Amino acid sequence: MALLSRSAVAPLHRSNGPLGLTGPGLVVLLIGAFLPVMSFFIVNVTLPAIGRDLHASAAALQLVVACYGITNAALVVVGGRLGDGLGRRRLFVVGLTGFTVTALLSGFAPTLPALLVARAAQGVFAALLTPQVLSTITATRQGEERARAIGFFGASAGLAAAAGQVLGGWLVEADVAGLGWRANFLVAVPVGLVALALTRRTVPETRAEDRLPVDATGATLLGGTLVVLLFPLSEGRPLHWPFWIWAVLAVVVPIGVGLGYHQTRAERLGRTPLVPPSVLALREMRIGLANGLAFFTSFGGFMFVFALATQTGAGLSPLEGGLALGPFALAFLVVSIAGPRLQRRWGPSIIARGWVLSAVGYAATAGVAAGVWPHVDPVNLAGPLVLVGLGNGLVMLPLMGVVLGQVPTHQAGLASGLLITTQQTCLALGAATVGTLYLALAGGSLGAGRALEIVSLLLAVVGVLMVPVALRLRPRRQPVVAAYREELAEAA
């Protein structure tokens, strides 16, 4: 995730060894993208068991989710900048090592405070890990190979979310080695160790040509903005919205304004801001971020709500709740395989088609909830979730590539960084906002079934509203490969 314009272009990266990324190396990188997202969603089916074992309140259980998401979202841009300067493989190794160790600490946490500290630290290491994946792909692959690898990167998030809840449900139900909910954290340890063993042999080292200083003030303001936004939204409902929660939420305005002023002034003075306003001013970037914000918030919210509704509302076991997402994961996998061909055929309009399918799938989910609740099961939910999986795949898989293909090539690294930040922030934001809405509705007179119905219909409306926004994405006049060759010629 190169955060300087021309340092984001592949020819202008230094690499130890031949420039290029082999298939095994790409698999290792994708594991690094898969694990942090899986770790975010696998907790959804684990919370009831954690509450019973560690005697945790509802507010404390929300913190198990929130502390990981907040630290991850707040530091992911800084992680990308550090990778540019210190070496992306080096930061990948540091991030993956820390992530694996903190997964072990989370799995064996004796108390709730120990678990919260381990989860917050795991979010920090995930922020160091994730941005190195896309920036390494950008630096080491070209043309169609780069576009395909970016598509795989997008696919890893959706598959990780579904796999996290399916695997998490099975692990809780199976009570592997008597570990119970702890196995859901420990499952990342052997995978992380294998990836670490393969990294040095398969992943080339790259870094930006010019080492840039980290914008410490910008990083502090960005992190502060995300903390005072996400923490109150996560903790407000279980704490019954005390005054101090509203006071913390109100602080987001001055800190956000301060961040905007600092970034604008730094760029005007010729410094290197964390998030240059000139890139946010790009029409294509704004449209891409709008799609990303709506999609990842909806996606994160639905996955969180679905786990709550099927288990605490409909009474499904963790395994049954996880298996209900099987059709979603299968549909997503099918799209990930066919996605490059469909994208060549439909171009940027593939994202608008995905929004339509997602809206139909969410509406169908609401129909099932209205018709058979509480007798939902993996069978009667299969049809709607296939549509949601197909639609989500058509939006998520090409989003990175389409947006990166439309911004100027020399700004692709920064654009990818902003998209990753949007992804991480909005997954946490979706669980906080959509999850809070569901819990408020389910806790009243409506009940879990009507709450799921209303939330699903709301997400369907979001999908419909995003169709015209997605259609504003247009094919780039200059092919990516041609633009890359121009950059290569200029560098030579």
Side-chain angles (χ1 to χ4, degrees), residues 402-430:
V402 167
V403 174
L404 294 180
Q406 297 198 43
V407 300
T409 307
H410 64 274
Q411 292 178 316
L414 178 54
S416 68
L418 294 177
L419 285 170
I420 293 176
T421 304
T422 301
Q423 178 194 63
Q424 302 300 322
T425 301
C426 291
L427 288 177
L429 185 65

Side-chain angles (χ1 to χ4, degrees), residues 296-331:
F296 290 113
T297 302
S298 300
F299 180 78
F302 179 75
M303 299 298 282
F304 183 75
V305 165
F306 187 84
L308 290 177
T310 54
Q311 292 182 55
T312 61
L316 298 184
S317 68
L319 177 60
E320 291 171 326
L323 288 177
L325 284 171
F328 171 94
L330 181 61

Side-chain angles (χ1 to χ4, degrees), residues 72-98:
N72 188 358
L75 295 173
V76 69
V77 178
V78 177
R81 178 64 61 83
L82 290 174
D84 286 346
L86 300 176
R88 300 185 181 100
R89 185 180 67 186
R90 178 182 298 177
L91 262 291
F92 182 88
V93 169
V94 170
L96 186 56
T97 301

Side-chain angles (χ1 to χ4, degrees), residues 99 211 370 372 409 411 415 442 459:
F99 185 90
R211 181 172 178 177
V372 303
T409 307
Q411 292 178 316
L459 296 180

